[in-house]
């Protein structure tokens, strides 16, 4: 949709939403794109609360412009065009727990045949992007394969070539601020995130049913400073976290990941890299208070490209329902041994006692049950076994869209969820 047309349509739509308040007093809302007929091309302004936006082709938020998406907005991506969202400017997706923002596809395509997505391209942030916020946002059914016609290929973004499966989020500006909280990533074909720069907070998110033949939950490269806390990773095809300093960008990648719960990860990619957490290439990593339940391996390093010597691994809990699982997370040359870890040598040892999750669940199954509850019960081996004596990258939080977002404080329990 051309800007002039978009602006004209916005004027008509504005009359329908005269009672709506502006979500961000600093955003230029001239060509607002709230509509039900379809948008493509340059887009910025506000998509207003509760509206439905149909994206019919690649959209680009221009440099020095912002797109604000208010609570309850449903963004329907065209499954024929399989569009990308290109951020040369900023994006603020501001849902609530009761009314999340949702990036999805038409309901008739939300089925088993498309459970690993590839139906739209993802959110790709160029070096001119300075702020990216996803709060209470659901992203699903993405990860489409790039073509010569893709905006990302034409603009030299992501891997800048056709034939690449796009992540849900890609970032590239080492000075950008990226906050993803209370959000859900599901039904993606490959990586959920591929982060090549930024000051980053990921907290209280869920990643599940992702990766058809490969793919990580959070994939971090050089140029990133990140706090990753209180996230749930279920059955990611490869790792929940891939942490690397590859790319030679400054600053050196430094990741503090704490109080996360990892379950059944890595089993659907039975190669050397399929596991739970992979560290490599001088990444400076600190891992504390994480639960590894039925993951294919423990924390795994590339012995040829190991992590920074300052890295710290402490207070992890390992649980395996099968003896094979237990045997594979035992420390070795390439499996990290942490300090104060809770780790046994027998199947069933150190049960985290989840409120509602059958630990015998097939580790090859990517199917997630929304009724599962990963809070801990009394008697859990994870209770009162965490540590709080470490520093986060952003103890004062990050200011995005004029609001301060802070990664939660570490807890005395291990994992993302305490007692019910």
């Amino acid at each position: 949709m051309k800007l002039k047309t978009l602006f004209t349509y916005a004027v008509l739509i504005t009359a329908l939403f005269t009672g709506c308040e502006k979500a961000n007093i600093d955003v230029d809302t001239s060509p607002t794109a709230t509509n039900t007929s379809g948008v493509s091309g340059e887009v910025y302004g506000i998509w207003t609360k509760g509206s439905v936006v149909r994206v019919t082709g690649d959209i680009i938020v221009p440099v020095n412009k912002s797109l604000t998406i208010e609570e309850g907005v449903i963004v329907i991506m065209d499954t024929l065009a399989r569009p990308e969202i290109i951020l040369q400017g900023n994006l603020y997706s501001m849902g609530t727990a009761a009314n999340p923002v949702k990036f999805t596809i038409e309901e008739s395509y939300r089925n088993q045949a498309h459970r690993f997505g590839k139906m739209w391209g993802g959110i790709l942030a160029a070096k001119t992007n300075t702020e990216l916020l996803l709060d209470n946002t659901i992203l699903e059914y993405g990860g489409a394969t790039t073509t010569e016609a893709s905006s990302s290929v034409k603009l030299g973004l992501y891997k800048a070539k056709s034939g690449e499966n796009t992540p849900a989020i890609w970032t590239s500006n080492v000075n950008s601020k990226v906050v993803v909280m209370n959000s859900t990533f599901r039904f993606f074909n490959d990586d959920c995130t591929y982060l090549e720069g930024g000051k980053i907070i990921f907290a209280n998110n869920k990643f599940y049913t992702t990766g058809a033949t490969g793919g990580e939950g959070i994939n971090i490269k050089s140029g990133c400073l990140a706090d990753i806390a209180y996230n749930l990773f279920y059955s990611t095809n490869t790792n929940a976290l891939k942490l690397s300093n590859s790319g030679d960008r400054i600053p050196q990648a430094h990741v503090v990941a704490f109080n996360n719960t990892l379950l059944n990860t890595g089993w659907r990619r039975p190669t050397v890299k399929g596991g739970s957490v992979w560290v490599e290439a001088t990444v400076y990593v600190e891992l504390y208070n994480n639960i590894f339940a039925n993951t294919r391996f423990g924390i795994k390093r590339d012995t040829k490209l190991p992590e920074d010597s300052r890295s710290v691994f402490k207070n992890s809990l390992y649980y395996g329902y099968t003896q094979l699982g237990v045997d594979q997370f035992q420390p070795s040359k390439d499996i990290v041994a942490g300090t104060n870890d809770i780790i046994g040598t027998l199947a069933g040892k150190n049960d985290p006692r989840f409120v509602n999750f059958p630990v015998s669940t097939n580790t090859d199954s990517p199917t997630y049950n929304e009724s599962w509850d990963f809070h801990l019960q009394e008697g859990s081996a994870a209770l009162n076994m965490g540590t709080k004596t470490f520093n986060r990258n952003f103890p004062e939080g990050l200011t995005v869209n004029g609001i301060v977002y802070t990664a939660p404080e570490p807890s005395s329990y291990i994992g993302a969820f305490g007692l019910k």
Side-chain angles (χ1 to χ4, degrees):
M1 183 180 287
K2 301 295 185 184
L3 270 177
K4 184 176 179 181
T5 304
L6 189 55
F7 176 75
T8 301
Y9 201 95
V11 171
L12 296 174
I13 292 297
T14 300
L16 300 176
F17 293 99
T18 53
C20 295
E21 295 184 0
K22 191 174 181 181
N24 178 355
I25 61 172
D26 297 320
V27 72
D28 183 342
T29 61
S30 300
T32 305
T34 302
N35 69 94
T36 56
S37 64
V39 296
S40 62
E42 289 194 346
V43 176
Y44 57 94
I46 297 176
W47 291 351
T48 52
K49 176 180 177 180
S51 58
V52 176
V53 178
R54 300 179 186 276
V55 178
T56 55
D58 292 351
I59 65 174
I60 299 176
V61 179
V63 178
N64 296 323
K65 300 293 185 181
S66 297
L67 174 62
T68 299
I69 307 177
E70 296 183 336
E71 64 178 278
V73 170
I74 299 175
V75 184
I76 298 179
M77 310 298 281
D78 186 272
T79 55
L80 181 62
R82 304 193 178 188
E84 299 173 341
I85 298 175
I86 305 296
L87 303 183
Q88 295 178 334
N90 299 332
L91 174 67
Y92 308 114
S93 179
M94 306 177 69
T96 64
N99 294 294
V101 171
K102 191 172 191 178
F103 291 85
T104 188
I105 56 177
E106 289 285 359
E107 185 174 1
S108 60
Y109 287 91
R110 300 176 212 160
N111 53 40
Q112 188 75 2
H114 301 112
R115 73 173 171 177
F116 292 121
K118 298 190 77 171
M119 305 307 287
W120 61 281
I123 299 170
L124 309 176
K127 286 184 170 60
T128 50
N129 164 266
T130 59
E131 294 187 344
L132 169 56
L133 170 67
L134 301 177
D135 189 7
N136 282 288
T137 298
I138 297 170
L139 301 97
E140 60 185 16
Y141 296 103
T145 305
T146 57
T147 69
E148 294 297 336
S150 300
S151 291
S152 62
V153 174
K154 293 178 180 178
L155 295 170
L157 305 179
Y158 185 44
K159 296 187 179 180
K161 61 182 180 180
S162 61
E164 295 290 333
N165 297 329
T166 52
I169 301 175
W170 172 73
T171 65
S172 57
N173 180 1
V174 299
N175 296 310
S176 65
K177 290 180 285 188
V178 181
V179 174
V180 180
M181 304 184 79
N182 312 307
S183 295
T184 298
F185 296 77
R186 62 192 182 196
F187 315 133
F188 272 82
N189 186 259
D190 208 309
D191 288 344
C192 291
T193 71
Y194 196 96
L195 308 175
E196 296 187 279
K199 300 174 182 177
I200 298 162
I201 295 176
F202 270 75
N204 301 313
N205 303 296
K206 292 182 180 180
F207 300 78
Y208 62 85
T209 313
T210 61
T213 58
E216 328 284 346
I218 297 178
N219 192 336
I220 284 181
K221 309 299 185 185
S222 62
C224 295
L225 303 176
D227 289 334
I228 300 174
Y230 297 92
N231 301 288
L232 171 69
F233 300 89
Y234 180 79
S235 192
T236 47
N237 178 280
T238 310
N239 296 287
L241 304 176
K242 182 177 181 180
L243 309 177
S244 175
N245 191 50
S246 63
D248 298 321
R249 288 169 292 269
I250 298 174
Q252 175 189 17
H254 180 201
V255 181
V256 182
F258 60 96
N259 285 103
N260 299 288
T261 296
L262 290 64
L263 297 111
N264 292 25
T265 58
W267 291 96
R268 292 185 293 111
R269 189 180 184 184
T271 65
V272 65
K273 288 190 175 182
S276 58
V277 177
W278 177 273
V279 295
E280 66 175 14
T282 72
V283 64
Y284 177 19
V285 61
E286 300 179 62
L287 300 181
Y288 308 95
N289 304 348
N290 299 298
I291 286 180
F292 298 81
N294 293 332
T295 60
R296 182 163 171 254
F297 293 112
I299 301 163
K300 199 166 190 180
R301 63 163 57 97
D302 185 338
T303 56
K304 295 180 181 179
L305 295 169
E307 71 278 8
D308 188 290
S309 60
R310 295 171 294 170
S311 296
V312 181
F313 307 93
K314 295 182 68 174
N315 295 75
S316 295
L317 183 145
Y318 293 91
Y319 170 82
Y321 176 74
T322 67
Q323 192 60 46
L324 173 62
V326 172
D327 292 345
Q328 290 189 158
F329 59 58
Q330 296 303 314
S332 63
K333 182 179 178 181
D334 61 344
I335 304 295
V336 174
T339 304
N340 298 327
D341 284 353
I342 301 173
I343 182 170
T345 58
L346 297 176
K349 188 71 173 177
N350 305 317
D351 190 343
R353 289 182 54 79
F354 297 122
V355 167
N356 177 24
F357 173 69
V359 291
S360 60
T361 298
N362 182 0
T363 54
D364 286 334
S365 172
T367 302
Y368 182 83
N369 188 328
E370 295 285 353
S371 71
W372 287 339
D373 186 339
F374 299 101
H375 283 85
L376 309 176
Q377 300 181 67
E378 292 287 356
S380 169
L383 289 174
N384 302 312
M385 298 303 289
T387 178
K388 296 183 178 182
T389 57
F390 59 90
N391 296 318
R392 293 163 287 166
N393 276 307
F394 307 109
E396 305 302 321
L398 293 173
T399 301
V400 177
N401 196 26
I403 302 171
V404 177
Y405 294 88
T406 305
E409 295 274 354
S411 292
S412 60
Y413 56 82
I414 298 177
F417 311 95
L419 288 171
K420 185 76 172 183

